[in-house]
Amino acid sequence: MGLIVALILVALGLVFVFSAIKIVPQGREFTVERFGRYTRTLKPGITILTPFLESVGRRVNMMEQVLEVPQQEVITKDNVSVKVDAIVFIQVMDAAAAAYRVDNLMYAITQLAQTNLRTVVGSLELDEVLSQRDQINTRLLSTIDHATGPWGVKVARIEIKDLSPPSDITNAMARQMKAERERRAVITEAEGEKQAQIARAEGQKQSAILQAEGRREAAFRDAEAREREAEAEAKATAFVSEAISKGDVNAINYFVAQKYVEAFAELAKSPQQKTVIVPADFAGLTGTVAGVAQLVKTLGGDDGPSRPAVPPTPKRGG
């Protein structure tokens, strides 16, 4: 009999110990209820409760959690039906509020995200929905975080997971994108051709300018050469005229010999002339040239006395 009583007392002691001592793991918080009424929240660690009077009410996960928002069809502002889903990152900040202010916290947040997702997407046109995901996420985050504040929940972020327009809209968008790319390609090609034509025109312009400058320089040099030749001819004429005025016949011989040689040179250079006939008095040209040399020496003002001119070689009989 005593053994049975001892076993009963041991069992009651074990029940007392297990009901009084509670260990809360990291990342969790427990609510404590006294006769069904919330009294306090247990933090991670070991805690002793009042046996038979206090008990653990709710075990709340305090870590950040990922909540999936199911896919749903939403009609945009321009009457296009799109399928959209999202994911929500939440974290419980107040265990008591999350446990006692809303029933089924996860379901409530899911429904709240779905309704606000329909509202935000439905207020935009399809192009805006596809191009403004960041703005949509920001609006959803602000709205849902404000609504879940009284529940002791902090919404860290919300992201649109997928947007699926109808197949006909997708095909139309693909054709539009292809046409836009082709248009850009044509514009780019035309712009390149324009730049090439400008470059060619600029090159031709520079070439024409350089050619004109070359012709101007050549004309200037030709004019300068003619001017110097004229000056030389004028000086030679002056010298010869001075010699003639002094009675020197060599000056006359100079002009005659010059014209004689020029005429004979033109006769020899003629492309139609195949045979050159040397005049019978060609040998007399030697005497003329000697006279020209004497004239040059005389006009040059040599230091020694002037030598008599060499008489022209007499013309031989034929």
Side-chain angles (χ1 to χ4, degrees):
M1 184 67 181
L3 180 60
I4 295 175
V5 172
L7 292 175
I8 292 174
L9 292 176
V10 171
L12 291 175
L14 292 175
V15 172
F16 174 81
V17 170
F18 281 109
S19 62
I21 299 176
K22 297 297 180 182
I23 298 177
V24 181
Q26 185 67 35
R28 300 286 195 278
E29 288 186 3
F30 295 170
T31 62
V32 177
E33 299 176 355
R34 183 187 294 269
F35 300 116
R37 181 181 179 181
Y38 168 77
T39 56
R40 58 195 172 98
T41 301
L42 301 181
K43 302 297 181 179
I46 185 170
T47 305
I48 299 177
L49 302 179
T50 302
F52 306 111
L53 298 179
E54 295 180 333
S55 62
V56 174
R58 304 288 179 87
R59 292 172 169 82
V60 182
N61 185 353
M62 304 300 292
M63 295 182 291
E64 187 171 315
Q65 304 174 63
V66 180
L67 183 62
E68 293 189 2
V69 180
Q71 188 179 70
Q72 58 181 332
E73 288 191 1
V74 181
I75 299 177
T76 62
K77 186 177 180 180
D78 50 352
N79 297 322
V80 178
S81 178
V82 296
K83 294 181 180 180
V84 57
D85 57 0
I87 52 176
V88 183
F89 297 84
I90 63 172
Q91 184 176 13
V92 177
M93 308 301 295
D94 187 346
Y100 299 109
R101 289 192 177 182
V102 61
D103 186 21
N104 198 341
L105 177 64
M106 298 302 176
Y107 179 77
I109 295 176
T110 300
Q111 295 302 312
L112 183 64
Q114 282 186 313
T115 54
N116 281 275
L117 188 58
R118 283 197 298 269
T119 301
V120 173
V121 174
S123 64
L124 301 174
E125 295 183 356
L126 178 61
D127 291 340
E128 296 175 338
V129 172
L130 296 176
S131 61
Q132 300 181 5
R133 286 197 178 190
D134 291 339
Q135 291 82 343
I136 296 174
N137 294 336
T138 302
R139 290 178 59 181
L140 289 173
L141 177 62
S142 176
T143 303
I144 297 176
D145 185 51
H146 179 73
T148 57
W151 300 343
V153 176
K154 172 67 177 177
V155 179
R157 58 189 179 276
I158 181 170
E159 300 285 344
I160 293 179
K161 188 176 179 181
D162 189 22
L163 274 171
S164 302
S167 58
D168 55 342
I169 299 297
T170 304
N171 294 334
M173 291 172 60
R175 292 194 300 271
Q176 180 182 2
M177 184 180 299
K178 181 179 179 181
E180 179 66 19
R181 290 179 178 176
E182 291 178 351
R183 183 183 69 85
R184 292 181 181 179
V186 171
I187 292 176
T188 303
E189 184 177 358
E191 186 67 22
E193 182 64 24
K194 174 184 175 182
Q195 295 297 330
Q197 292 179 358
I198 292 175
R200 286 194 293 268
E202 186 66 23
Q204 293 175 358
K205 173 184 174 182
Q206 293 297 330
S207 177
I209 292 174
L210 293 177
Q211 290 178 3
E213 291 181 352
R215 290 193 299 270
R216 184 184 66 176
E217 183 67 20
F220 176 77
R221 296 296 177 87
D222 291 341
E224 186 177 6
R226 288 194 300 270
E227 181 180 358
R228 293 183 178 179
E229 183 179 358
E231 291 178 356
E233 184 69 21
K235 289 181 180 180
T237 303
F239 289 153
V240 172
S241 298
E242 184 180 356
I244 293 174
S245 65
K246 293 180 180 180
D248 191 350
V249 296
N250 289 326
I252 299 175
N253 292 335
Y254 167 75
F255 277 106
V256 172
Q258 182 183 20
K259 298 300 181 180
Y260 192 93
V261 172
E262 290 178 356
F264 189 75
E266 292 295 329
L267 180 63
K269 289 191 300 183
S270 176
Q272 299 174 350
Q273 186 69 28
K274 297 183 178 179
T275 303
V276 179
I277 302 175
V278 178
D281 58 349
F282 185 75
L285 183 60
T286 306
T288 303
V289 173
V292 172
Q294 181 63 31
L295 174 63
V296 172
K297 290 181 180 180
T298 303
L299 296 179
D302 293 340
D303 294 338
S306 299
R307 296 180 182 179
V310 178
T313 304
K315 180 168 56 175
R316 299 178 182 178

